[in-house]
Amino acid sequence: EGSMKRCEYTENMEHIIKNSNGVLLLDFSNTTQMNNFPDIKKYYAGTDKPIFIIDHHKAGEQDIGKEELNVNMFRYPNAKSTAVIMAHITKNMGIVLDPNNDQHLGIATVARRGIDIDLLGVEGDIPGYVEEAKEYLDAAIGAKGKKLLEKLKNLDVGDSFLYHAELASIVARQKKI
């Protein structure tokens, strides 16, 4: 329950946390990036439910501390993108993303665009496992996903909050492409 939601938009967070086995946070561990972190801490107080964090960013001073909550951190900055990590986890679990399944198509397309964004300005050789993740996702997006990727490339990524809101809106309307 409550999967695939950004903290900024999550309603009924108390209900979701109380009825879940834990929370998975992707692509950040910095508490200043989470508008609802005080709520998460409040609703997790007194529980031993885990918070799993998968992130490609380097550790920072504002990271969620293990002493505060039951945090399980998987951080791999060399991955260049959290979408690369998630693509490998999905692939290694044997999950085949089907381009004819709208949910799979949306997930694969957003992940593929996330990799492209995270690689902006990266200089030097791109590790082979990054290319493998891109190939895995490309196989899942097909022609429909490629059209969607072209639309997403036209979005301005300068304001991350607005970008993610627009990204969600476009993916939600993807059936019309």
Side-chain angles (χ1 to χ4, degrees), residues 19-159:
N19 292 293
S20 70
N21 294 324
V23 169
L24 174 63
L25 302 175
L26 300 174
D27 201 28
F28 61 88
S29 57
N30 182 326
T31 58
T32 63
Q33 295 174 323
M34 301 168 61
N35 296 344
N36 290 346
F37 185 69
D39 290 333
I40 291 174
K41 283 180 69 171
K42 178 173 71 175
Y43 300 138
Y44 261 83
T47 75
D48 61 352
K49 293 180 181 185
I51 295 177
F52 296 96
I53 300 173
I54 300 175
D55 194 5
H56 74 102
H57 296 102
K58 294 179 181 176
E61 290 182 19
Q62 298 296 322
D63 278 5
I64 297 172
K66 290 185 178 188
E67 66 283 348
E68 295 180 76
L69 300 167
N70 183 11
V71 174
N72 300 277
M73 177 75 71
F74 180 80
R75 185 186 309 276
Y76 192 59
N78 292 335
K80 309 293 185 204
S81 173
T82 300
V84 168
I85 299 168
M86 293 308 299
H88 279 283
I89 290 171
T90 304
K91 181 180 177 185
N92 291 336
M93 290 177 67
I95 296 172
V96 177
L97 297 173
D98 178 2
N100 295 314
N101 177 306
D102 286 339
Q103 185 176 19
H104 290 190
L105 175 65
I107 290 168
T109 304
V110 168
R112 183 63 174 84
R113 182 62 183 141
I115 293 172
D116 290 343
I117 291 168
D118 285 337
L119 291 177
L120 290 173
V122 172
E123 297 180 6
D125 293 333
I126 302 297
Y129 52 82
V130 173
E131 295 302 328
E132 289 173 19
K134 288 166 53 175
E135 290 170 8
Y136 170 73
L137 295 169
D138 286 345
I141 64 173
K144 189 174 182 180
K146 287 180 183 172
K147 287 181 185 177
L148 182 55
L149 275 175
E150 287 304 313
K151 282 189 168 192
L152 297 178
K153 286 179 184 177
N154 294 324
L155 291 179
D156 180 11
V157 297
D159 183 337

